């Protein structure tokens, strides 16, 4: 048993600001205080594979505000495996994500946006001589990641009509839908795109034969990744103050704000995917507090 085999993720009832209906929230944010819940889910079987293969080095990729980077750094620290992350950056950046990753002992390797696109080449150039180094895709995207996410469905006592969540690469959506299909449930997944890649996400659902379960809504991106509006910020402030649950403008806050406006019929379970560090970025704090 390791810290990556156990976790607690409970259910909380909440009322969205400006609404009367209650929703249930699956608290994957409680899995870890720093690591995003869905990044933990995605890493679970990747870490198991690394341990089985005797890997002593995890190598991954991320932006300077990457929840996946921090999650991988923490996983490595827990498991006693060295970690490194290529950081996409045109200039030197210091923030609390990079600080957390460093504290967990991760080696950070800043590379230009151009070089960052050639991930296999970067891996080969820096870690090609190390047979025990393992390549982990940006965001942890993989079949193993979807398998970890699918376990969320086995933890539910009853099947809601909708599971709503913040969606970026669609890995979380695919995992949820796989879990739903495996159990033969009627539940559908409402994936709120947090960036303008709705068509890409729909295509992934179609390719996987899961588009009858996954509905991608890309009408609430507010113009793109990490983009906000005064209305979103007001919603987030009120939600946190009235529920005691932290949400962030990039992922869960944006998805909940969209849910407040879409509000599909039926029982709704919102999956809180984590991402708590997101609220503590200077630019957001200035607008919020
Ligand atoms: C990465 C992340 C997501 C998006 O997950 P995908 O599997 O890429 O769609 C959602 N919420 C949080 C908090 C995240 O860190």
């Amino acid at each position: 048993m390791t810290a990556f085999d156990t976790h607690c993720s409970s259910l909380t009832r909440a009322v969205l600001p400006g609404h009367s209906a209650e929703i249930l929230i699956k608290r994957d944010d409680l899995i870890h205080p720093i690591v995003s819940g869905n990044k933990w889910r995605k890493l679970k079987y990747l870490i198991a594979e690394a341990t089985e293969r005797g890997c002593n080095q995890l190598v991954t990729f991320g932006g300077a505000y990457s929840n996946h980077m921090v999650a991988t750094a923490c996983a490595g620290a827990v498991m006693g495996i060295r970690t490194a992350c290529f950081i996409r950056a045109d200039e030197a950046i210091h923030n609390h994500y990079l600080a957390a990753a460093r504290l967990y002992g991760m080696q950070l390797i800043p590379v230009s946006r151009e070089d960052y696109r050639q991930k296999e080449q970067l891996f080969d150039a820096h870690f090609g001589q190390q047979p025990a180094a393992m390549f982990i895709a940006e965001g942890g995207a993989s079949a193993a990641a979807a398998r970890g996410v699918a376990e969320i469905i086995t933890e539910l006592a009853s099947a809601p009509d909708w599971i709503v969540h913040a969606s970026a690469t669609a890995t979380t959506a695919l995992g949820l839908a796989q879990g739903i299909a495996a159990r033969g449930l009627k539940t559908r997944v409402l994936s709120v795109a947090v960036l303008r890649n709705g068509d890409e996400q729909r295509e992934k659902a179609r390719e996987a034969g899961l588009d009858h379960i996954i509905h991608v809504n890309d009408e609430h991106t507010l113009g793109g990744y990490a983009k906000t509006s005064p209305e979103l910020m007001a919603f987030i402030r009120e939600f946190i103050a009235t529920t005691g649950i932290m949400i962030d403008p990039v992922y869960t806050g944006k998805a909940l704000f969209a849910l407040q406006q879409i509000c599909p019929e039926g029982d709704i379970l919102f999956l809180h995917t984590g991402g708590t560090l997101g609220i503590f970025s200077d630019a957001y704090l200035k607008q919020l507090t």
Side-chain angles (χ1 to χ4, degrees):
M1 211 61 135
T2 69
F4 263 74
D5 292 332
T6 56
H7 73 270
C8 90
S9 162
S10 57
L11 288 177
T12 306
R13 291 190 178 281
V15 175
L16 295 181
H19 258 280
S20 52
E22 253 187 359
I23 61 165
L24 273 177
I25 302 183
K26 173 119 173 104
R27 301 292 305 278
D28 269 14
D29 56 318
L30 298 180
I31 287 178
H32 194 280
I34 302 285
V35 171
S36 277
N38 84 328
K39 302 301 182 282
W40 181 94
R41 301 258 185 202
K42 289 183 187 191
L43 278 172
K44 180 176 173 184
Y45 288 105
L46 289 168
I47 296 294
E49 188 190 325
T51 315
E52 254 165 51
R53 282 173 32 191
C55 293
N56 60 10
Q57 172 81 64
L58 305 176
V59 181
T60 195
F61 306 83
Y65 294 84
S66 165
N67 283 318
H68 167 69
M69 163 186 72
V70 176
T72 307
C74 178
V78 168
M79 302 302 293
I81 305 173
R82 284 199 305 271
T83 56
C85 186
F86 291 99
I87 309 294
R88 182 189 60 224
D90 289 329
E91 58 205 82
I93 299 175
H94 298 284
N95 67 30
H96 54 301
Y97 288 80
L98 297 166
R102 272 201 198 93
L103 285 169
Y104 284 130
M106 180 174 250
Q107 176 194 3
L108 302 178
I109 311 171
V111 294
S112 69
R113 271 161 201 277
E114 225 164 69
D115 288 348
Y116 187 81
R117 287 194 202 106
Q118 317 294 329
K119 298 194 177 49
E120 297 282 353
Q121 270 147 272
L122 283 174
F123 180 85
D124 286 345
H126 288 76
F127 299 97
Q129 306 298 323
Q130 297 184 34
M134 180 166 146
F135 179 104
I136 297 182
E138 189 175 27
S142 59
R147 185 177 156 211
V149 172
E151 286 181 351
I152 291 171
I153 304 301
T154 68
E155 292 169 17
L156 301 178
S158 65
D161 296 309
W162 290 97
I163 298 179
V164 184
H165 73 108
S167 191
T169 65
T171 308
T172 300
L174 293 176
L176 290 170
Q178 279 169 21
I180 288 165
R183 301 213 133 197
L185 305 178
K186 291 203 177 72
T187 303
R188 281 174 291 171
V189 175
L190 176 56
S191 301
V192 179
V194 298
L195 65 158
R196 290 163 56 183
N197 69 347
D199 287 339
E200 239 171 82
Q201 294 195 36
R202 279 185 206 98
E203 186 53 34
K204 284 187 187 168
R206 231 183 339 264
E207 273 171 19
L210 295 167
D211 51 330
H212 58 297
I213 298 175
I214 299 171
H215 296 250
V216 179
N217 182 302
D218 57 357
E219 286 165 19
H220 298 269
T221 66
L222 301 179
Y225 185 75
K227 296 278 197 304
T228 67
S229 69
E231 292 77 17
L232 169 65
M233 293 318 227
F235 172 86
I236 287 175
R237 202 184 297 117
E238 193 177 342
F239 181 89
I240 295 172
T242 56
T243 64
I245 300 170
M246 276 290 171
I247 54 174
D248 77 289
V250 181
Y251 293 108
T252 54
K254 194 175 265 190
L256 280 167
F257 186 48
L259 174 61
Q260 185 223 35
Q261 292 157 78
I262 305 163
C263 219
E265 292 279 317
D267 294 332
I268 293 169
L269 178 81
F270 181 78
L271 174 63
H272 193 316
T273 41
T276 309
L277 284 180
I279 200 86
F280 298 108
S281 298
D282 281 348
Y284 294 145
L285 288 181
K286 265 188 212 130
Q287 295 173 60
L288 280 164
T289 59

